[in-house]
Amino acid sequence: TRGTGARRLGTSWTMWWTAEVAAAASELASEVGVSLPALAVAWTLEHPGVSSAIIGPRTFEQLDSLLGAVEVQLPVDVLDA
């Protein structure tokens, strides 16, 4: 049916767009010198309307990496990306 084709096209486009965003974010994280999850937390915390970031690490290593995001100072061009 018509709706099924639209859903398939939407899903394919969403997967492509998500991959593009993930690649760009990964490149930004490398430029800043942090992990991708730490970049996401730092970016979230830099916005004035956000008072906290909810994280869900499964290991102490993940927790340590994410807690380090508090000290990350992102350049303005990264925040605008």
Side-chain angles (χ1 to χ4, degrees), residues 47-75:
H47 282 72
V50 176
S51 59
S52 62
I54 298 172
I55 59 173
R58 287 183 262 163
T59 66
F60 286 115
E61 290 80 16
Q62 290 175 350
L63 176 62
D64 190 45
S65 172
L66 292 171
L67 290 178
V70 174
E71 299 172 4
V72 173
Q73 296 294 314
L74 297 174

Side-chain angles (χ1 to χ4, degrees), residues 4-68:
T4 304
R7 267 188 251 126
R8 251 185 285 139
L9 177 61
T11 300
S12 176
W13 182 86
T14 302
M15 289 172 44
W16 169 84
W17 183 81
T18 301
E20 290 292 313
V21 170
S26 182
E27 186 176 322
L28 281 174
S30 293
E31 289 175 14
V32 175
V34 298
S35 68
L36 186 53
L39 175 71
V41 172
W43 186 87
T44 300
L45 293 174
E46 288 284 340
H47 282 72
V50 176
S51 59
S52 62
I54 298 172
I55 59 173
R58 287 183 262 163
T59 66
F60 286 115
E61 290 80 16
Q62 290 175 350
L63 176 62
D64 190 45
S65 172
L66 292 171
L67 290 178

